Amino acid sequence: MLQVIQYEERQTVNIEFDLYIPINIEIGTWNISKEPTLYWRTGDFKKSLIEIGVGKYTGKIRSITLTLCENVYNTENLNFKDINFIEGLPIFQIEESIDKTYIDEKGKLNIYIGNDKVLILFSENEIISIAQNDNVGFAIDNNKMVCGIIISSMVEHEKKLLKDALK
């Protein structure tokens, strides 16, 4: 899992919904020639996969790509009352000695589509806080591990496109 060590200021976010790659999010700007990207991936790697790209040396988040998921649930209300909101982006603990491009952790991936938001959950742990950057939130448990991604302020055509992509 990705462990949060601190938070940085908010960055620009670009979210794309597509039939081929259901969700692709790019965060901020970066120079890949100065710092390579390390990809943390989870799912069962056959019917579900999400990939989170972070700077290999800084641990700053760069991208989130949901490739596929079969566990999709419609819900009337995704409510996050009584949860602490933190403005900004999480910075993750990265082992400096790591010389991999991918860190794969098998896990169960569930997607909950609500009225105007989607929750991509990859941990059963209770959400204690949410680091919010524009309409992308990072659900964090009591061990400071990211356990899910929340995309809010979705409009109807984005929701329909996402549902069609995940059929």
Side-chain angles (χ1 to χ4, degrees):
M1 299 289 281
L2 292 170
Q3 184 172 29
V4 178
I5 55 171
Q6 64 186 51
Y7 299 92
E8 71 170 334
E9 291 181 15
R10 297 163 63 127
Q11 300 287 323
T12 58
V13 174
N14 181 39
I15 303 174
E16 294 177 2
F17 297 92
D18 186 76
L19 285 174
Y20 182 65
I21 297 183
I23 299 174
N24 188 40
I25 303 171
E26 292 181 0
I27 299 169
T29 58
W30 63 88
N31 184 340
I32 199 156
S33 64
K34 290 187 178 181
E35 181 184 33
T37 302
L38 175 66
Y39 296 96
W40 178 84
R41 306 185 301 189
T42 193
D44 69 7
F45 299 92
K46 293 177 183 152
K47 296 181 179 180
S48 63
L49 177 66
I50 189 169
E51 172 183 273
I52 298 176
V54 298
K56 193 168 187 171
Y57 310 127
T58 61
K60 293 182 178 183
I61 188 144
R62 294 182 170 174
S63 63
I64 302 165
T65 305
L66 174 70
T67 322
L68 64 154
C69 184
E70 68 175 359
N71 301 323
V72 181
Y73 307 97
N74 292 312
T75 180
E76 284 296 310
N77 198 8
L78 285 173
N79 208 343
F80 299 104
K81 289 182 181 176
D82 302 323
I83 292 194
N84 181 35
F85 278 84
I86 302 160
E87 288 292 320
L89 284 169
I91 297 177
F92 303 111
Q93 173 70 47
I94 301 296
E95 294 179 31
E96 290 182 24
S97 62
I98 198 162
D99 64 351
K100 298 179 181 177
T101 302
Y102 299 98
I103 298 173
D104 291 342
E105 292 183 28
K106 270 198 160 184
K108 186 171 182 184
L109 196 58
N110 291 312
I111 296 179
Y112 299 90
I113 300 174
N115 290 332
D116 68 342
K117 45 178 88 72
V118 63
L119 169 62
I120 304 165
L121 203 55
F122 39 83
S123 170
E124 300 284 326
N125 296 350
E126 180 183 359
I127 299 170
I128 302 298
S129 60
I130 296 174
Q132 192 71 40
N133 186 82
D134 291 332
N135 54 344
V136 177
F138 298 84
I140 301 167
D141 68 15
N142 63 348
N143 294 319
K144 296 187 177 182
M145 299 291 198
V146 172
C147 53
I149 306 291
I150 303 155
I151 301 169
S152 56
S153 302
M154 289 178 64
V155 293
E156 199 58 41
H157 79 274
E158 292 171 332
K159 192 166 91 170
K160 182 183 179 332
L161 190 59
L162 181 60
K163 286 180 178 182
D164 289 345
L166 295 172
K167 281 185 178 177

